[in-house]
């Protein structure tokens, strides 16, 4: 009470030259830095977060190289009503050098039929090798839902038996080593990565799907993924 919030972007400045505008757009538009510094958004970060804006930004690319494997990972919501969580759906691939490229975030809220169709569509659009759904909540019904939509897809279910922080930490370490690249900008996903506090809060849907995707691509053979 008693406070007034006024917002404006850099581009609201009528006296900014067109060359400066275009230069700023070219370098920063669509990035988290641009959202904060040019569009005036307040982007909350957490000092306990495993991911940082800087690490994601510095390794971002516009195009992925030839990939040897692509997966569609799903973190399905337990229920399907107005207050339900979203179902995380993230597509990622790996190249011959072992570097990972995050290709798409198609996280949605909806029924099993809705998210199942979205995952299958991603599978075919990217020519994926398999769909990787977490089946802790739903068990065999999660896999059956996907196969029921398209029996041609390859499904490799995963079940978490260890804490989410245990899975997330090695994935975040790959980011720090420059081995994970976002192909373009994924605002909602990146907001979850940089704001999640693993010491207090429940891990969100997009983040969980991302972790399963990267685990299945490059980490499942090196340490237990469950």
């Amino acid at each position: 009470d008693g406070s007034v919030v006024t917002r404006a972007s850099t581009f609201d400045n009528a006296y900014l030259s067109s060359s400066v505008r275009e230069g700023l757009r070219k370098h920063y538009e669509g990035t988290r830095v641009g959202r904060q510094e040019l569009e005036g958004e307040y982007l909350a970060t957490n000092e306990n977060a495993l991911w940082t804006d800087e690490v994601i930004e510095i390794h971002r690319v516009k195009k992925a190289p030839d990939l040897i494997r692509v997966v569609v990972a799903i973190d399905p919501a337990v229920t399907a009503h107005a207050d339900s969580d979203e179902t995380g759906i993230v597509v990622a691939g790996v190249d011959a050098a072992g570097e990972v490229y995050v290709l798409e975030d198609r996280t949605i809220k909806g029924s099993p039929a809705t998210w199942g169709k979205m995952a299958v569509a991603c599978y075919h659009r990217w020519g994926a090798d398999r769909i990787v759904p977490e089946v802790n909540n739903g068990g065999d019904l999660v896999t059956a839902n996907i196969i029921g939509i398209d029996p041609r897809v390859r499904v490799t279910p995963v079940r978490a038996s260890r804490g989410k922080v245990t899975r997330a930490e090695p994935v975040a370490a790959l980011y720090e080593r420059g081995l994970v690249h976002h192909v373009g900008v994924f605002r909602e996903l990146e907001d979850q990565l940089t704001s999640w506090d693993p010491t207090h809060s429940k891990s969100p849907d997009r983040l969980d799907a991302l972790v399963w995707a990267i685990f299945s691509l490059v980490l499942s053979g090196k340490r237990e993924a469950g």
Side-chain angles (χ1 to χ4, degrees):
D1 292 342
S3 299
V4 176
V5 178
T6 303
R7 302 185 186 281
S9 80
T10 296
F11 303 114
D12 291 328
N13 181 357
Y15 299 97
L16 202 63
S17 70
S18 59
S19 60
V20 171
R21 287 173 182 268
E22 291 309 307
L24 291 172
R25 289 187 189 278
K26 179 180 179 181
H27 288 94
Y28 299 110
E29 192 170 45
T31 67
R32 284 180 59 85
V33 172
R35 289 170 61 190
Q36 180 170 278
E37 302 300 331
L38 301 183
E39 299 173 24
E41 290 188 41
Y42 174 74
L43 303 179
T45 57
N46 190 300
E47 62 180 11
N48 294 319
L50 299 178
W51 285 266
T52 66
D53 295 331
E54 292 78 13
V55 167
I56 294 172
E57 194 64 50
I58 197 171
H59 300 299
R60 192 188 307 278
V61 297
K62 294 182 178 180
K63 183 179 179 181
D66 292 335
L67 302 173
I68 59 174
R69 288 184 61 218
V70 174
V71 299
V72 180
I74 308 174
D75 178 55
V78 180
T79 57
H81 50 72
D83 297 325
S84 297
D85 292 334
E86 291 183 306
T87 289
I89 303 175
V90 172
V91 185
V94 64
D95 66 8
E99 299 196 19
V100 176
Y101 294 81
V102 180
L103 304 170
E104 190 171 16
D105 172 18
R106 298 296 292 179
T107 297
I108 57 173
K109 178 179 288 190
S111 66
T114 300
W115 60 254
K117 290 177 181 177
M118 178 63 74
V120 169
C122 290
Y123 175 92
H124 290 299
R125 179 164 57 253
W126 291 100
D129 296 272
R130 63 189 67 247
I131 294 178
V132 182
E134 181 180 319
V135 296
N136 281 54
N137 297 305
D140 293 341
L141 292 177
V142 173
T143 301
N145 177 55
I146 299 168
I147 297 299
I149 293 169
D150 188 344
R152 299 170 297 170
V153 303
R154 299 177 65 186
V155 182
T156 302
V158 289
R159 185 180 298 275
S161 60
R162 302 173 68 184
K164 293 186 176 182
V165 176
T166 304
R167 292 195 308 278
E169 284 177 338
V171 172
L174 291 177
Y175 273 79
E176 292 184 9
R177 292 169 57 196
L179 299 177
V180 182
H181 312 272
H182 287 196
V183 184
V185 178
F186 308 105
R187 288 192 175 189
E188 294 85 357
L189 171 61
E190 292 169 17
D191 284 346
Q192 286 190 0
L193 294 177
T194 58
S195 62
W196 177 51
D197 187 340
T199 64
H200 293 95
S201 56
K202 172 182 176 291
S203 57
D205 35 64
R206 299 170 196 268
L207 184 154
D208 280 347
L210 171 82
V211 168
W212 279 122
I214 296 177
F215 239 105
S216 66
L217 286 170
V218 296
L219 292 171
S220 59
K222 296 180 181 179
R223 57 181 295 177
E224 183 184 355

